[in-house]
Amino acid sequence: SLVLAFGATLASARLLYRTTGGGDGDDARHIASQIVMAFSPVSLAVNPLLAICIYFKTPRATVYAMIPLAFLAKDLWAMRRWRTTASTAGGRHAFFQAITNMALDVLSRSLRRSSFFRIVVTILCFQFFVVWWWWGALKGALGHGSGFWFLVAFLAGKWASGTVARVLGFVASGGITSWFVQQSIIMEEMDKLKDSQKSAPTTEEETTENETPSNMPEEYRSANADAYQPVLDIDEGIDDDYEEEDVPSRPKLWTDGWTDSGTSTVKGFLVSALTVSFGSVAQCGLLGGLAQFVWSVLRNVEAATTGFSQRFESSSRFGFRGMQIGRDGSDGTSVVWNALIRARSMARNFVRSHTDLAMCQVAAYYKSFQRAAQDVAILVDDSGVEPIIHDDITTHMCACVCGSISGAITMFIGLILVHHQSNDKMGDTTVAQSMLLAFIMCYTLLFTVMEPLRAAIKAIYVCFAQHPRSLSQSFPLIFHRLSRISEANLV
């Protein structure tokens, strides 16, 4: 099963991260985003089929069929929430496709695509052996029947595999951040040029116009051609399979991920992820996913509480409006609400100091993970992009891809195990546990190849909060949508 999953990861990496930057790769990126979106309905069919396979092929271990049913319930709930909150039919999917095309385009521009693809394949090979070791450790713990050692092996393998995946996310976040900073510098230079043109004296221009009359517009005669620079770097979309020519040096910024020519390199970010920032990457691999889950739960609970309190506004017991925090605790309801408020505050503090959105700041500024997470939390609150991040469906779409392929591989492996069950004297529980382990390992390996896309899109949201005008020239449609939502949230 791992070999099949590894082949699927290589094909996915080829599909996503080998596209040419600029207009030449638009068709390839459009096809890639459509393929990713196509797995959303496929997952709705694969999960119940996997549950049916476990239920009928392993009748003495039907409890394991609840796991794919839980994934199905999660997908159905997510789709229901999208339909009830979306402003237009298919709006979230259309925006996901647009921002996926943008993320892949910016990655191909800011990072050398051949080098980035080689790094992705190398990390996937390393992840393959990590997952293989993890599988052996879990099977050994199940063989000895020790629940404690199974939990230890599960947590250790989850941490190790998550750290490896976050390395790819670190490199992708660094590439996105470097592109945004470069665009921000260009926009600042254009603003300075406009200001200098407005403040320039016009007496000499008027004298020249009187002496030599011409039909040339005033702006063309007064402009200095040497001061103009292109908005986009011409070399951004060029494939790096050719040797680079000598170009004028640009100001070197705050990270070793930049070369002297001003272009970011995969090697610089990878070395940073494995050396000076490895502690932050490891922390994100352990707690980043948990913080993301807690934050999603908090947002859903707050939305449900708001709707519940509006529905029963007349009652002081429901919601937070009628709650009296300063009571002496003699009322049991007050004690419960105070405990819930403290738990909510602790959960929000945990999210603000461990969110995986911090990876772009870690890659750019060499910050520690918790310091970067706190800075990003303040930035997100002040810019109004929190609803955009909450309504983003990138993680769900990536999960649909991984779950669909992993479920298909697991059903194939399960049928083989059932066919040889009588010869190998395996029980139904053993077969079901082997299928469950195969699903987890395949899912982890496939999710690794999707991590750069997830990290790139999250970095886009954070960088937009910090440099909102950087998208106005290159991606105006996405810029206007993000600006409209963020500004509406600040009102």
Side-chain angles (χ1 to χ4, degrees):
S1 61
L2 285 181
V3 176
L4 295 176
F6 184 69
T9 57
L10 293 181
S12 301
R14 176 76 182 182
L15 176 68
L16 294 173
Y17 308 122
R18 284 288 294 175
T19 59
T20 305
D24 295 338
D26 285 343
D27 293 339
R29 286 188 293 271
H30 181 73
I31 294 174
S33 60
Q34 282 188 327
I35 292 175
V36 173
M37 291 176 55
F39 278 97
S40 179
V42 171
S43 64
L44 297 178
V46 171
N47 287 324
L49 288 177
L50 181 59
I52 293 173
C53 180
I54 295 175
Y55 183 83
F56 287 101
K57 296 299 181 180
T58 57
R60 295 182 180 86
T62 55
V63 65
Y64 291 97
M66 298 299 296
I67 297 176
L69 291 179
F71 277 90
L72 176 63
K74 179 178 70 67
D75 294 341
L76 291 175
W77 172 260
M79 295 184 66
R80 176 183 177 277
R81 183 172 62 87
W82 299 344
R83 291 184 178 182
T84 55
T85 58
S87 58
T88 58
R92 294 182 187 271
H93 289 78
F95 180 70
F96 168 75
Q97 185 174 4
I99 202 164
T100 298
N101 294 338
M102 173 191 168
L104 296 178
D105 188 11
V106 174
L107 282 178
S108 62
R109 290 170 181 261
S110 60
L111 300 175
R112 301 181 177 182
R113 64 168 189 165
S114 296
S115 301
F116 182 61
F117 179 74
R118 287 193 294 267
I119 292 298
V120 170
V121 173
T122 302
I123 297 297
L124 287 176
C125 292
F126 184 77
Q127 183 76 303
F128 176 82
F129 291 104
V130 171
V131 171
W132 196 353
W133 165 82
W134 189 18
W135 195 356
L138 291 178
K139 289 180 64 177
L142 287 176
H144 287 83
S146 175
F148 173 77
W149 288 112
F150 178 82
L151 180 62
V152 171
F154 182 82
L155 293 178
K158 182 66 175 67
W159 188 6
S161 60
T163 301
V164 174
R166 296 295 181 176
V167 171
L168 286 178
F170 182 95
V171 175
S173 299
I176 295 294
T177 307
S178 65
W179 183 86
F180 266 86
V181 172
Q182 187 181 21
Q183 296 300 308
S184 179
I185 293 174
I186 293 175
M187 295 297 295
E188 292 177 0
E189 292 177 351
M190 293 179 62
D191 291 340
K192 292 179 180 178
L193 180 61
K194 292 179 180 178
D195 294 339
S196 63
Q197 290 179 353
K198 291 180 180 179
S199 61
T202 59
T203 57
E204 183 178 353
E205 298 169 2
E206 294 175 355
T207 304
T208 306
E209 181 181 1
N210 294 330
E211 293 178 355
T212 57
S214 174
N215 294 327
M216 181 180 293
E218 180 68 21
E219 291 80 4
Y220 284 88
R221 289 200 306 271
S222 61
N224 182 9
D226 296 334
Y228 283 94
Q229 294 181 0
V231 175
L232 297 178
D233 191 354
I234 297 177
D235 293 335
E236 284 178 350
I238 298 179
D239 187 9
D240 67 323
D241 295 336
Y242 302 95
E243 297 181 358
E244 294 185 352
E245 299 178 358
D246 295 333
V247 295
S249 60
R250 300 184 186 132
K252 190 172 182 179
L253 300 179
W254 22 251
T255 175
D256 291 338
W258 287 73
T259 62
D260 293 335
S261 61
T263 57
S264 57
T265 62
V266 179
K267 181 180 178 181
F269 290 120
L270 180 63
V271 171
S272 177
L274 298 178
T275 54
V276 65
S277 299
F278 183 75
S280 299
V281 174
Q283 290 184 54
C284 187
L286 178 64
L287 300 174
L290 179 60
Q292 176 71 17
F293 174 76
V294 173
W295 181 67
S296 179
V297 171
L298 285 175
R299 290 280 302 186
N300 291 328
V301 169
E302 290 175 357
T305 303
T306 302
F308 198 65
S309 61
Q310 291 177 354
R311 184 175 181 181
F312 300 95
E313 188 174 0
S314 59
S315 176
S316 63
R317 233 178 229 193
F318 300 108
F320 293 105
R321 294 186 178 182
M323 185 173 54
Q324 299 180 10
I325 300 177
R327 299 180 67 173
D328 58 358
S330 58
D331 187 1
T333 305
S334 178
V335 174
V336 172
W337 279 118
N338 287 333
L340 290 176
I341 290 177
R342 286 194 296 269
R344 174 180 174 272
S345 178
M346 293 175 59
R348 289 190 67 89
N349 291 334
F350 172 76
V351 171
R352 293 177 69 89
S353 59
H354 296 90
T355 175
D356 57 355
L357 297 172
M359 293 308 294
C360 60
Q361 296 255 333
V362 174
Y365 302 106
Y366 291 152
K367 295 181 181 179
S368 64
F369 177 63
Q370 294 189 14
R371 171 64 185 278
Q374 293 171 359
D375 292 344
V376 167
I378 296 174
L379 185 63
V380 168
D381 291 340
D382 294 340
S383 60
V385 300
E386 183 178 0
I388 301 174
I389 300 175
H390 175 67
D391 294 337
D392 181 66
I393 63 174
T394 302
T395 300
H396 175 77
M397 286 297 181
C398 294
C400 289
V401 174
C402 302
S404 300
I405 300 177
S406 300
I409 295 175
T410 302
M411 285 189 290
F412 177 73
I413 297 299
L415 294 176
I416 295 177
L417 292 176
V418 170
H419 181 72
H420 296 281
Q421 184 177 4
S422 58
N423 298 331
D424 298 338
K425 298 180 180 180
M426 291 187 300
D428 290 346
T429 303
T430 303
V431 174
Q433 290 177 351
S434 299
M435 294 176 65
L436 176 62
L437 291 181
F439 181 84
I440 294 174
M441 300 303 115
C442 295
Y443 189 94
T444 302
L445 197 58
L446 287 162
F447 209 80
T448 303
V449 76
M450 304 300 294
E451 179 62 25
L453 178 61
R454 291 179 61 247
I457 293 178
K458 290 184 177 182
I460 288 174
Y461 294 142
V462 176
C463 292
F464 171 79
Q466 188 174 9
H467 308 285
R469 294 183 57 207
S470 300
L471 293 177
S472 59
Q473 299 296 324
S474 302
F475 301 95
L477 294 179
I478 295 179
F479 167 75
H480 288 300
R481 178 181 175 87
L482 296 181
S483 299
R484 176 173 53 83
I485 298 177
S486 60
E487 291 172 359
N489 186 52
L490 292 175
V491 175

